[in-house]
């Protein structure tokens, strides 16, 4: 995917994914290797202890994973659609204030594409770390994605 397309992934997601707009997610880095997305501190999305709600953090992490998947595999959209298959999240520490999710693909892109070229429906994990502004990791999430061939 061309570099100018990578820069627009955050905007494209904001334009097409209502939850990205609703939460006001901010995309600061998007490449085929990783995506960094932030959830600003917003009282409307706080939980009972005053930090970001677990559902908002799940959406943040899933959105970061989607951004890196689009950056890595957006050039394949004419022959396959990326779909999240399953996700698991662990909440590690109390999150307060703004939080940032960093997502990285857990398999080599070339390996995934080779399986797609063989007519398979490859699966691959995306690992996401959610951290507070002080750097403390508050959550970790694994989302398993697939590239489902058209037809």
């Amino acid at each position: 995917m061309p570099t100018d397309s990578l820069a627009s992934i955050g905007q494209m997601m904001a334009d097409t994914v209502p939850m990205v707009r609703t939460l006001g997610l901010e995309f600061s880095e998007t490449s085929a290797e990783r995506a960094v997305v932030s959830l600003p501190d917003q009282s409307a999305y706080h939980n009972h202890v005053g930090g970001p709600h677990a559902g908002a953090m799940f959406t943040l992490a899933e959105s970061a994973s989607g951004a890196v998947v689009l950056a890595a595999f957006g050039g394949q959209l004419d022959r396959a659609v990326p779909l999240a298959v399953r996700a698991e999240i662990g909440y590690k520490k109390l999150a307060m204030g703004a939080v940032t999710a960093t997502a990285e693909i857990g398999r080599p892109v070339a390996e995934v594409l080779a399986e797609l070229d063989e007519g398979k429906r490859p699966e691959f994990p995306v690992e996401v770390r959610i951290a507070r502004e002080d750097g403390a990791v508050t959550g970790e999430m694994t989302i398993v994605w697939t590239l489902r061939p058209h037809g």
Side-chain angles (χ1 to χ4, degrees), residues 21-133:
R21 282 192 312 277
T22 297
L23 292 176
L25 300 183
E26 299 169 354
F27 294 76
S28 59
E29 180 184 336
T30 305
S31 72
E33 290 77 40
R34 70 185 224 150
V36 180
V37 183
S38 297
L39 171 66
D41 186 22
Q42 303 167 81
S43 62
Y45 305 114
H46 283 177
N47 59 20
H48 61 289
V49 294
H53 189 277
M57 289 190 293
F58 185 100
T59 301
L60 167 68
E62 197 275 340
S63 297
S65 78
V68 74
V69 167
L70 282 174
F73 301 108
Q76 308 305 313
L77 295 177
D78 61 330
R79 64 183 185 139
V81 61
L83 297 169
V85 176
R86 62 187 169 276
E88 183 175 332
I89 192 165
Y91 300 101
K92 307 294 183 187
K93 291 186 179 189
L94 185 62
M96 298 298 283
V99 289
T100 299
T102 302
E104 298 178 339
I105 293 180
R107 280 183 67 194
V109 170
E111 185 179 286
V112 174
L113 290 176
E115 285 185 21
L116 185 63
D117 290 341
E118 294 169 3
K120 297 178 182 175
R121 183 176 169 166
E123 290 190 359
F124 53 94
V126 176
E127 304 295 335
V128 185
R129 289 175 317 285
I130 305 169
R132 299 185 305 225
E133 288 179 313

